[in-house]
Structures are given as C-alpha cells and as structure tokens.
Amino acid sequence: MKHRKIASKALETFGEIAPAFARYSEEVFFEEVWRREQLSLRERSLLTVSALVAGGLTEQLPFHIRLARENGLSEEELIEAITHLAFYAGWPRAATAIQVAKDIFQEN
C-alpha cells in the first residue's frame, strides 16, 4: 500500500485550543486508522464520503471529496455514489452533496 501523509490540517486548525484532539486526529485517526491494510485509501475515502452524505454532514465533505480524488476516485465515481445514496439517504442530502462536489470539481 502506498504510504503518504494525509494533510488533515488538524494541528493548524485545532492545535492551539484543543491540542489533544488535534494530535489524535493526526496521529491516531489519519496515521493509524486510515493506514490499516484491510481497506485501501480509495475504499476508505468512498466509505467516508458515503457516511458524510448519508448523515447530512456537509461540513467535512469538501475535505473528504478532495481527499477521495487524491485517493483515486474519479468525479464520475463520486457523483455515481452520491446518486446511488439518494435512494437510501434521501434526495435533499444527495442534492446538497452534489452541489458541494460540483463546487470542488470547479476549483480546478
């Protein structure tokens, strides 16, 4: 498995006010949990984006859509996953997620 550091910005964002949270995010979550060999980074990204969409948790969606693309998911695959989720998680959640994805895709 290709090992590269996932730049979570947790230390930058939370380090001053919540150093333990930032450290756990960087060291435990992104370096240990995301590196477990049972799932690839690509699979973990697809699962994470799906969970965020299903839960209506759009605040973290831009970061994870960008990360999913870095981890090998195409725009077409992400949109297909979100479209599929519309039938399970709800049309409004999928519509919101597609708008977030569209905004991310237009950054390039």
Side-chain angles (χ1 to χ4, degrees):
M1 179 185 300
K2 184 170 103 175
H3 184 77
R4 67 172 170 73
K5 180 149 176 73
I6 297 172
S8 73
K9 294 189 178 184
L11 289 174
E12 177 184 323
T13 305
F14 307 115
E16 189 173 309
I17 191 166
F21 180 84
R23 186 174 56 79
Y24 294 145
S25 295
E26 293 282 339
E27 295 174 10
V28 176
F29 186 59
F30 282 107
E31 287 302 313
E32 290 181 27
V33 174
W34 272 76
R35 299 293 174 199
R36 292 174 50 84
E37 294 181 9
Q38 292 82 354
L39 295 173
S40 69
L41 291 175
R42 185 179 189 284
E43 292 165 329
R44 288 184 190 280
S45 281
L46 183 58
L47 288 167
T48 302
V49 168
S50 296
L52 292 172
V53 172
L57 304 168
T58 57
E59 298 88 358
Q60 297 297 312
L61 201 50
F63 171 81
H64 282 285
I65 287 175
R66 288 183 193 101
L67 183 59
R69 290 177 68 201
E70 288 177 28
N71 288 335
L73 287 160
S74 69
E75 293 178 8
E76 182 179 37
E77 289 170 319
L78 287 162
I79 294 301
E80 183 63 26
I82 296 168
T83 300
H84 185 79
L85 286 167
F87 292 93
Y88 293 92
W91 215 261
R93 288 181 176 178
T96 299
I98 287 173
Q99 184 60 56
V100 170
K102 178 182 174 186
D103 293 344
I104 299 303
F105 299 160
Q106 290 177 345
E107 289 177 353
N108 295 331

